[in-house]
């Protein structure tokens, strides 16, 4: 029991240490990003000194700044258009991947009873009138043919056919078992 408590407390300690370390790393990352941003702005946009400039020089500086702003806006618009195009393409490709994998939800199918005539009509169309009457396709057998077959079978096998109920009643009990034993003994000899 004390071992379990020890493990739980150690796990809680590790988790709190990991959370503290993650918080520290996040703060350091935010500070690094802020320093990178300041360095980039100092490099790309140095502070403008307007105290000694005349009115014409200030107007020229404003024109240069407007030209730079226009250039940056054009680049930003182009990049946004590319990003939008890429996100649409990624979404389309994800949909294609899901379709190829078969991850979409398949509906439950219901059992439907359809007659053979309805199946043929759906396959062949409504123009073809086909009826599937299996009994009509069967070969008709005449009574004379069946009598010939019966005579042939009787000539082949001369087996006495009796009522099976009488046979069961005769073989029931100890006497029936003795008869079966004697019959088996007689057929072996």
């Amino acid at each position: 029991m004390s071992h379990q408590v020890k493990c739980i407390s150690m796990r809680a300690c590790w988790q709190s240490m990991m959370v503290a370390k993650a918080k520290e790393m996040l703060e350091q990352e935010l500070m690094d990003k802020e320093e990178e941003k300041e360095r980039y702005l100092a490099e790309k946009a140095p502070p403008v000194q307007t105290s000694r400039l005349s009115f014409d020089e200030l107007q020229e500086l404003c024109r240069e700044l407007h030209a730079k702003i226009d250039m940056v806006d054009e680049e930003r618009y182009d990049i946004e258009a590319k990003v939008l195009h890429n996100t649409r393409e990624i979404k389309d490709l994800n949909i294609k991947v899901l379709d190829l994998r078969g991850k979409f939800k398949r509906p439950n199918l219901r059992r439907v009873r359809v007659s053979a005539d309805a199946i043929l009509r759906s396959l062949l169309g409504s123009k073809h009138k086909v009826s599937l009457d299996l009994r009509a396709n069967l070969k008709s057998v005449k009574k004379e043919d069946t009598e010939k077959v019966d005579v042939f079978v009787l000539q082949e096998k001369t087996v006495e056919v009796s009522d099976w109920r009488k046979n069961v009643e005769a073989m029931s009990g100890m006497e029936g078992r003795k008869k079966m034993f004697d019959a088996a003994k007689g057929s072996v000899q």
Side-chain angles (χ1 to χ4, degrees), residues 175-186:
E175 295 171 9
R177 291 195 180 141
K178 184 179 178 191
K179 288 179 187 176
M180 285 174 37
F181 181 72
D182 290 340
K185 192 177 185 183

Side-chain angles (χ1 to χ4, degrees), residues 96-111:
K96 285 182 183 178
V97 167
L98 289 177
D99 287 345
L100 290 176
R101 280 191 196 161
K103 292 281 185 182
F104 52 90
K105 187 177 178 182
R106 291 189 177 115
N108 293 332
L109 300 177
R110 289 179 282 163
R111 185 175 292 245

Side-chain angles (χ1 to χ4, degrees), residues 16-67:
S16 64
M17 287 173 57
M18 287 173 55
V19 167
K21 184 67 175 174
K23 186 177 180 182
E24 181 183 318
M25 289 172 67
L26 185 64
E27 289 173 358
Q28 183 64 35
E29 186 179 329
L30 289 174
M31 287 174 52
D32 289 344
K33 281 185 179 180
E34 192 66 33
E35 288 174 5
E36 179 71 23
K37 183 178 177 182
E38 288 176 12
R39 188 176 53 78
Y40 180 80
L41 286 176
E43 179 184 316
K44 293 292 182 179
V48 179
Q49 300 201 0
T50 58
S51 60
R52 298 184 206 152
L53 297 177
S54 68
F55 185 73
D56 292 333
E57 292 173 339
L58 284 175
Q59 283 183 341
E60 186 61 33
L61 180 65
C62 286
R63 286 186 194 111
E64 288 176 10
L65 290 176
H66 279 288

Side-chain angles (χ1 to χ4, degrees), residues 121-137:
R121 258 188 265 123
S122 67
L123 290 174
L124 300 175
S126 62
K127 294 179 181 178
H128 301 341
K129 299 284 182 177
V130 178
S131 118
L132 187 64
D133 187 13
L134 296 176
R135 290 182 183 156
N137 294 337

Side-chain angles (χ1 to χ4, degrees), residues 68-81:
K68 286 183 180 180
I69 289 173
D70 289 341
M71 245 175 56
V72 169
D73 279 343
E74 287 176 7
E75 289 177 8
R76 182 180 53 85
Y77 178 78
D78 291 342
I79 291 172
E80 284 178 358

